[in-house]
Amino acid sequence: IDQTLSGDSAAFGRLVRKYQDRLFNTLYHVVGHAEDARDIVQEAFVQAFLKLDTFHRASAFYTWLYRVALNVAATHRRKRRPSVSIDQSPQAAAIEPIDRGDAPGRRIDQEETCRQVHQALDALSEEHRAILVLREMEGCCYETIAEILDLPIGTVRSRLHRARLQLRDQLRQVLAVDH
């Protein structure tokens, strides 16, 4: 960060390489589309580069970067074209890792479960999807989530609770439709 601020743009390239995959994976789960996640990651790094002098190191760099990315995602979502379900996306199959050691039937079951979870996540509001991804997929503690989303911890806890209830309800609907 200091090297970048001193004019060494290659140093920022090292930050990009260090965080781009993690940021993409998180945003993919938040926005539900690989192409949108790639666009948001790219724009987030551009914004981070332009605003790097505002990073006061009160938090981890990734926490600050993630907040920048969520702001970009919110702007992107407002301007976005009509959504396409994750299970209709040709990139969806390429994103999910497949364990080649599983029997074909078990792999199909896992892929179906993954599709159902993505479908249910996609139905949640952006704020609930983001909080679930941060807690359940990224493993962030409540304090980190509060810092990233700029919310009080009590709000994080209540939104996470509501998000889990909504996800449960969405999964029930998805499972009822599929069976």
Side-chain angles (χ1 to χ4, degrees), residues 13-108:
R14 291 190 293 278
L15 289 172
V16 170
R17 284 188 296 281
K18 181 175 182 177
Y19 294 109
Q20 68 185 353
D21 291 341
R22 181 178 176 197
L23 191 60
F24 170 80
N25 288 331
T26 301
L27 286 170
Y28 171 73
H29 291 293
V30 170
V31 299
H33 307 284
E35 184 177 318
D36 290 344
R38 276 192 277 286
D39 291 345
I40 292 166
V41 167
Q42 183 176 7
E43 178 63 22
F45 277 114
V46 168
Q47 290 298 316
F49 181 78
L50 295 173
K51 297 176 182 179
L52 192 58
D53 61 333
T54 67
F55 175 56
H56 298 294
R57 302 168 200 235
S59 61
F61 177 73
Y62 183 76
T63 302
W64 178 80
L65 176 63
Y66 190 81
R67 183 182 291 171
V68 169
L70 277 183
N71 289 335
V72 171
T75 301
H76 185 268
R77 192 171 206 74
R78 284 190 294 272
K79 297 188 297 188
R80 193 173 132 200
R81 61 194 176 278
S83 66
V84 176
S85 176
I86 186 96
D87 54 334
Q88 296 173 346
S89 171
Q91 295 92 356
I95 298 300
E96 300 299 326
I98 297 174
D99 183 356
R100 301 281 181 213
D102 287 340
R106 182 162 184 239
R107 188 174 9 177
I108 290 170

Side-chain angles (χ1 to χ4, degrees), residues 109-160:
D109 289 344
Q110 288 174 336
E111 289 171 359
E112 179 63 14
T113 299
C114 186
R115 183 193 66 77
Q116 291 166 336
V117 170
H118 280 290
Q119 186 177 348
L121 268 174
D122 201 35
L124 298 181
S125 69
E126 184 176 331
E127 72 180 15
H128 287 141
R129 188 170 42 252
I131 212 161
L132 272 174
V133 167
L134 286 170
R135 179 69 180 157
E136 306 301 341
M137 296 177 179
E138 283 290 310
C140 294
C141 65
Y142 293 119
E143 292 79 10
T144 301
I145 295 169
E147 191 174 332
I148 288 172
L149 299 178
D150 197 24
L151 297 170
I153 288 187
T155 303
V156 168
R157 290 179 191 275
S158 64
R159 281 190 188 170
L160 184 59

